């Protein structure tokens, strides 16, 4: 499982405060902690008001890439902002995200020409987020085909099926699983990603829902997730699930992570 660390996100109150006071130490420490905990990419989201987003994102990007070598996942709802910040990013990473909304694709896809950036594509369009698997897959197919017109191969695309809250849509995981199966049938090399926060919206003890969703989603074929890697139970869940699925010979990665203190009692992360 490829891990995208979610913690450098201006919508988290403590991070918003660090951004407001330009607290470099706080942000650098978030970057280091997530990398130590096994993040393969670091999601960078400015949050806050749109008029400050560009300046904030530039500051965050410069700071994080001066601190760690881990590639970034540039997270903005605004395609023009992604276009504006991309030249300062040193290593190819992930653009988060494109969707079927408006003319987003026309701005985003050209940014992936002649490089090896990857892209997260959300299954929504101007009509919103569809609930049913068929409509989600149809949007994914449109996005993948459109990317192809810009020479972006399926290997570089991560589809985020935008999982709905379980409390509102009781078959949300079943739909998610159906979408994964169908997309992979059509495009075996396209990967699937998701966040964990929507699934448990409005429910008590969200952690139980999030972690069990994570495990079931990995079993269903999710390749990467946007998570908090410094959360030990999240890392333990990923490693235990992968071992159970026969993807960890002699449970070596599970044991190693335990010895490194990535989960369990030892406090080294
Ligand atoms: N898909 C895509 N991008 C995304 C999301 C997605 N980007 C944003 C979001 N969802 C993923 N990122 C976060 C970041 C922080 C939190 C949730 C999702 C969050 N953090 C709290 C904190 O750190 O204090 C609480 C963490 C907790 O409760 O464990 O809530 O779905 N493509």
């Amino acid at each position: 499982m490829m891990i995208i660390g979610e913690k450098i996100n201006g919508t988290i109150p403590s991070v918003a405060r660090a951004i407001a006071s330009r607290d470099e130490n706080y942000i650098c420490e978030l970057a280091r902690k997530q990398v130590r905990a096994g993040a393969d990419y670091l999601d960078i989201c400015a949050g806050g008001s749109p008029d400050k987003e560009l300046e904030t994102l530039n500051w965050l990007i410069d700071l994080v890439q001066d601190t760690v070598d881990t590639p970034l996942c540039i997270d903005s709802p605004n395609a023009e902002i992604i276009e504006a910040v991309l030249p300062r990013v040193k290593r190819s990473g992930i653009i988060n995200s494109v969707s079927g909304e408006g003319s987003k694709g026309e701005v985003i896809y050209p940014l992936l020409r002649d490089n090896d950036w990857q892209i997260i594509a959300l299954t929504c369009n101007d009509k919103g987020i569809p609930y049913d698997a068929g409509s989600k897959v149809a949007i994914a197919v449109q996005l993948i085909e459109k990317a192809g017109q810009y020479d972006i191969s399926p290997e570089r695309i991560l589809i985020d099926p935008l999982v709905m809250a379980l409390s509102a849509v009781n078959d949300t995981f079943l739909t998610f699983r159906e979408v994964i199966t169908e997309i992979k049938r059509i495009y075996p090399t396209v990967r699937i990603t998701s966040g964990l926060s929507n699934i448990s919206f409005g429910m008590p003890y969200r952690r139980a829902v999030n972690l069990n969703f994570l495990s079931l989603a990995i079993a269903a074929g999710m390749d990467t997730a946007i998570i908090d890697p410094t959360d030990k139970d999240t890392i333990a869940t990923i490693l235990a699930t992968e071992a159970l699925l026969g993807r960890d010979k002699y449970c070596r990665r599970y044991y190693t992570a335990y010895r490194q203190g990535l989960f369990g009692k030892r406090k080294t992360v």
Side-chain angles (χ1 to χ4, degrees), residues 32-258:
R32 285 194 205 98
K33 266 195 223 163
Q34 292 186 95
V35 172
R36 280 202 296 271
D40 299 296
Y41 293 84
L42 294 178
D43 193 78
I44 310 288
C45 176
S49 60
D51 55 311
K52 289 191 185 143
E53 191 189 353
L54 179 59
E55 193 193 339
T56 303
L57 203 51
N58 281 336
W59 179 71
L60 289 171
I61 288 169
D62 291 348
L63 195 54
V64 173
Q65 58 186 0
D66 282 345
T67 310
V68 293
D69 289 328
T70 308
L72 308 181
C73 176
I74 307 297
D75 189 346
S76 169
N78 186 328
E80 279 78 21
I81 295 230
I82 292 178
E83 182 179 28
V85 303
L86 222 58
R88 72 198 307 126
V89 185
K90 293 180 193 154
R91 270 187 86 171
S92 312
I94 304 170
I95 289 174
N96 186 10
S97 55
V98 71
S99 71
E101 291 163 290
S103 55
K104 249 186 166 175
E106 275 97 79
V107 180
I108 295 285
Y109 289 136
L111 305 174
L112 288 101
R113 268 230 159 100
D114 303 319
N115 59 44
D116 55 358
W117 276 79
Q118 300 166 69
I119 177 128
I120 295 177
L122 312 177
T123 58
C124 61
N125 59 21
D126 290 324
K127 289 189 217 146
I129 304 175
Y131 282 37
D132 65 292
S135 307
K136 284 180 191 265
V137 172
I139 296 174
V141 168
Q142 280 167 11
L143 290 167
I144 296 163
E145 291 301 316
K146 182 93 183 171
Q149 294 168 14
Y150 294 83
D151 295 327
I152 302 162
S153 58
E155 294 80 28
R156 298 168 64 195
I157 303 174
L158 299 151
I159 297 291
D160 182 338
L162 296 175
V163 67
M164 303 287 183
L166 176 61
S167 54
V169 183
N170 298 163
D171 62 354
T172 189
F173 173 73
L174 302 177
T175 303
F176 183 80
R177 186 168 65 184
E178 210 178 314
V179 171
I180 295 180
T181 306
E182 186 59 10
I183 290 175
K184 292 202 166 189
R185 188 184 66 76
I186 309 172
Y187 304 100
T189 58
V190 162
R191 284 164 297 154
I192 306 290
T193 193
S194 173
L196 298 190
S197 47
N198 289 346
I199 189 79
S200 59
F201 185 79
M203 291 175 82
Y205 210 71
R206 295 181 69 166
R207 164 171 288 267
V209 180
N210 289 349
L211 295 182
N212 284 287
F213 167 71
L214 178 59
S215 181
L216 288 167
I218 294 169
M222 185 174 72
D223 304 275
T224 135
I226 307 164
I227 55 150
D228 175 1
T230 67
D231 184 278
K232 295 187 176 197
D233 288 341
T234 300
I235 294 299
T237 299
I238 292 171
L239 288 161
T241 301
E242 295 202 311
L244 286 163
L245 290 170
R247 298 179 189 164
D248 186 8
K249 207 167 181 194
Y250 307 120
C251 304
R252 227 174 236 144
R253 278 187 289 131
Y254 186 91
Y255 288 122
T256 304
Y258 176 75

Side-chain angles (χ1 to χ4, degrees), residues 5-10 12 15 30 33-34 43 227-230:
E6 72 180 15
K7 292 194 79 75
I8 302 179
N9 191 315
I12 302 172
V15 179
L30 280 182
K33 266 195 223 163
Q34 292 186 95
D43 193 78
I227 55 150
D228 175 1
T230 67

